[in-house]
Amino acid sequence: MATLGQRAGTGALIFASLLLTVSTAAADSLAELPSDTATIHSGRRALTAGAVEAAAGNTAQAAATFPLPTGRPYNIGRPAGLRHIWVDPRAGSDSRAGTGRATALRTLAAAWRRIPVSMRLTAGYHIHIIRGSLPTTALPNYWENRWGSKAAPIIIEAADGAGTVTLKAPVNVFNVSHLHLIGLTIRSAFDPFHCERCTNLLLRNVISEGICTSWTDCGVQEAIKINQCRGVWIEGVVAGWANDNAFDCVSCQYGHIIDSRFHHSEWGVYLKGGSAYFLVANNLITDHGSSGFAAGQGTGFEFMDRPWMQYEAYDIKLVNNVIRNIEGAGFGVWGCYDCFYAHNTLISTGNRSHLVDIKFGEHSCDGDAAGCTANYNAGGWGPRSVGSVVSVPNRNWQQLQVDDPRQSGISRLGTVKADNNLVLRGNVFYNGGADKPLGVGAGCPPTNPTCNPTQLLAQNVFNKWRPDVSVSTFRPASATGRLATYSGLWRPLRNFGAWSPGNAVPAGNLTNLVRLDRAGLARTASRNAPGAYVPPLRAVG
């Protein structure tokens, strides 16, 4: 078993301008809010574009087919020559032509069969589904080997608007390119959505939920599960009701998760297993157990893709999110290279122990010793033989949990640290009394120049005052209150240094500039605050 940390002189972890609270009176009195899920088609989130600036000079490999995310919705474009297929779940017939509403097919399975298999499409397909529900018998059993392109995508859309079409069985996708699902609802007693070995997958205004009454007693493991995919674009999605994850992405590179809501699962959202180049912005992550959001965690070594086989995550930016009602840490990093978390609001988090995880990722060999050995020989950080991992939970109340240095488990790494180039600055923590420890020791010791007890207390606020947050909007409650006038913001935010994670991993976005807040309002020198929102122009809530 190999344990991943941040090696000295490489990469950085930046936590800045965050608002983090646990069990405050305001948080405890919050009423359940509406979904806050954006409808991308309406353009309501047009100001999201540019929330995080893209770095100049993308690598040739990234720019060719997988651009680094900027916060703008995925651009489908206007593909010419699309072949249109219509499906009417209530009045259609699979013996018809399917070329319009009046001649619609009855099942999505019949429409899917009309797309050529295992060949690069020269013309795209747009499947329009008329209002209704599609049972298991009307859906493909396995969605595989359809190869679209930017010019010839495969679009499956609710013809009468988002939420008018429900798929009542799991959607299992394998080896499909340029699949765009728009406005569909997927509800199932089994894992609703799974995609493996896909490229340029778009989920827009999709609901993917398990059917259960409690996520702690639910037969659904993941609401959305994505493995070994490149180009993953999640927009205006609602996902939840699962006993493990609302959103689980293993070895996924290039994409964004924006304007979405993730709810009711043990782990909320994580990007792990060598996932890289993701922007996670303007989301609501709510009602989870162990964690709200995690960059990295633990992965079977044989499931990682080359060259992203060393760190658990690379170039992950978490910006302008509201994370609330989390029993464990609001968010964490577990073996990440260049993670940037800024301007997020965490409300009622950390009741089990602590607010923030800064921990090691873990790689285990889960049964395929040959695959693990091959990845090790290709420069990966992981074991070559099948083994097991034992985890011991933390039981003390504290602000942070920063792992102590430890032996990695493989000679090429030796001793690893969780706090190399770790920076926490300009953050406001409210976690009850001042008697709770920081949660640092051998991790973030006095000798660490970027993260040590003196620096943490000087450049952040820990339990000195209760944040004045509106109970209805999560904004600073006043234009002149403590949050609105907080002078400890880190300005300007620091960019990352030279990209050097090793193993020939393509470069990520080194620029860390947050121009807008969650509502699309400009962050300026005179109007800014910790958390996802700028202060109001007048008092609210």
Side-chain angles (χ1 to χ4, degrees):
M1 184 271 289
T3 302
L4 307 185
Q6 285 70 42
R7 294 194 298 173
T10 63
L13 304 175
I14 294 179
F15 296 79
S17 306
L18 307 170
L19 171 62
L20 309 99
T21 75
V22 57
S23 297
T24 67
D28 290 339
S29 66
L30 289 174
E32 186 64 29
L33 298 182
S35 70
D36 195 38
T37 300
T39 299
I40 301 296
H41 281 310
S42 71
R44 184 169 71 85
R45 286 291 190 186
L47 288 176
T48 297
V52 174
E53 291 293 311
N58 292 353
T59 65
Q61 180 177 350
T65 54
F66 303 105
L68 294 172
T70 65
R72 297 178 177 86
Y74 179 81
N75 182 15
I76 298 175
R78 298 180 180 275
L82 287 176
R83 299 177 181 178
H84 296 271
I85 303 174
W86 287 77
V87 175
D88 186 338
R90 294 178 295 182
S93 171
D94 287 350
S95 63
R96 293 176 175 173
T99 54
R101 282 181 178 266
T103 61
L105 308 177
R106 190 177 188 88
T107 70
L108 182 53
W112 183 256
R113 287 194 295 268
R114 296 192 180 190
I115 302 174
V117 180
S118 298
M119 60 179 294
R120 186 66 58 194
L121 300 182
T122 57
Y125 286 78
H126 192 158
I127 299 175
H128 309 261
I129 308 177
I130 297 169
R131 182 185 300 270
S133 297
L134 291 160
T136 302
T137 54
L139 298 174
N141 182 47
Y142 202 44
W143 309 50
E144 62 180 334
N145 298 329
R146 279 15 180 227
W147 302 340
S149 65
K150 181 71 175 179
I154 302 166
I155 303 170
I156 304 176
E157 184 173 9
D160 298 316
T164 61
V165 173
T166 298
L167 311 186
K168 294 186 172 182
V171 174
N172 290 304
V173 186
F174 175 77
N175 192 29
V176 174
S177 302
H178 288 269
L179 175 65
H180 307 331
L181 303 185
I182 301 174
L184 304 179
T185 296
I186 309 168
R187 287 199 171 97
S188 173
F190 304 96
D191 292 10
F193 183 84
H194 176 223
C195 194
E196 181 178 353
R197 297 292 177 190
C198 297
T199 58
N200 283 312
L201 168 71
L202 170 65
L203 302 184
R204 177 174 287 170
N205 300 332
V206 166
I207 298 174
S208 182
E209 294 178 322
I211 298 175
C212 47
T213 57
S214 168
W215 61 263
T216 59
D217 183 21
C218 182
V220 173
Q221 183 167 338
E222 292 115 355
I224 296 178
K225 173 70 168 172
I226 302 176
N227 294 334
Q228 296 95 22
C229 295
R230 296 188 190 176
V232 177
W233 313 100
I234 307 298
E235 304 174 0
V237 163
V238 177
W241 295 118
N243 65 41
D244 199 6
N245 303 91
F247 184 91
D248 177 353
C249 212
V250 176
S251 191
C252 300
Q253 294 84 34
Y254 304 101
H256 60 217
I257 303 170
I258 60 175
D259 303 314
S260 296
R261 179 168 65 100
F262 302 95
H263 66 94
H264 295 99
S265 64
E266 180 62 32
W267 294 79
V269 176
Y270 57 48
L271 297 163
K272 67 172 191 171
S275 290
Y277 325 118
F278 268 83
L279 170 64
V280 183
N282 301 333
N283 302 291
L284 174 63
I285 301 174
T286 182
D287 297 286
H288 300 288
S290 294
S291 176
F293 176 84
Q297 198 238 18
T299 304
F301 190 37
E302 62 265 52
F303 301 114
M304 299 183 74
D305 276 343
R306 303 176 190 182
W308 301 277
M309 301 182 303
Q310 295 184 340
Y311 293 94
E312 265 287 278
Y314 303 75
D315 186 21
I316 307 296
K317 300 188 188 299
L318 183 76
V319 176
N320 288 337
N321 300 281
V322 172
I323 302 174
R324 63 183 289 244
N325 297 346
I326 312 297
E327 295 175 15
F331 54 54
V333 289
W334 304 58
C336 184
Y337 184 96
D338 278 9
C339 275
F340 173 72
Y341 291 17
H343 287 293
N344 300 287
T345 296
L346 281 64
I347 298 286
S348 191
T349 63
N351 289 289
R352 289 183 182 176
S353 174
H354 51 278
L355 301 177
V356 175
D357 279 323
I358 302 167
K359 299 174 67 66
F360 295 104
E362 294 178 337
H363 290 166
S364 57
C365 190
D366 292 349
D368 181 5
C372 293
T373 299
N375 279 351
Y376 180 89
N377 291 340
W381 295 345
R384 288 174 283 183
S385 59
V386 176
S388 61
V389 178
V390 176
S391 298
V392 178
N394 175 68
R395 296 184 183 274
N396 297 318
W397 281 80
Q398 55 196 38
Q399 312 294 347
L400 315 171
Q401 181 164 317
V402 183
D403 277 352
D404 293 342
R406 63 175 70 163
Q407 287 298 312
S408 65
I410 54 175
S411 59
R412 64 175 47 158
L413 278 178
T415 301
V416 292
K417 299 179 179 181
D419 62 349
N420 270 323
N421 296 328
L422 168 64
V423 181
L424 293 97
R425 181 172 171 180
N427 305 299
V428 175
F429 294 79
Y430 187 79
N431 189 13
D435 59 329
K436 293 184 174 61
L438 287 176
V440 300
C444 289
T447 55
N448 185 331
T450 65
C451 183
N452 60 72
T454 300
Q455 172 270 325
L456 287 170
L457 293 172
Q459 295 183 340
N460 302 275
V461 174
F462 288 94
N463 294 334
K464 291 183 178 179
W465 39 267
R466 182 191 295 273
D468 51 324
V469 181
S470 166
V471 299
S472 60
T473 67
F474 300 125
R475 292 181 179 279
S478 168
T480 58
R482 286 187 178 272
L483 286 174
T485 59
Y486 175 56
S487 61
L489 286 177
W490 193 3
R491 298 173 178 169
L493 292 168
R494 193 184 82 183
N495 293 333
F496 289 125
W499 180 267
S500 58
N503 218 40
V505 172
N509 180 358
L510 305 179
T511 302
N512 295 322
L513 175 63
V514 185
R515 297 174 54 200
L516 309 176
D517 79 348
R518 189 167 185 260
L521 299 176
R523 295 187 180 275
T524 66
S526 60
R527 191 183 183 193
N528 205 351
Y533 293 102
V534 299
L537 296 176
R538 57 182 177 80
V540 296

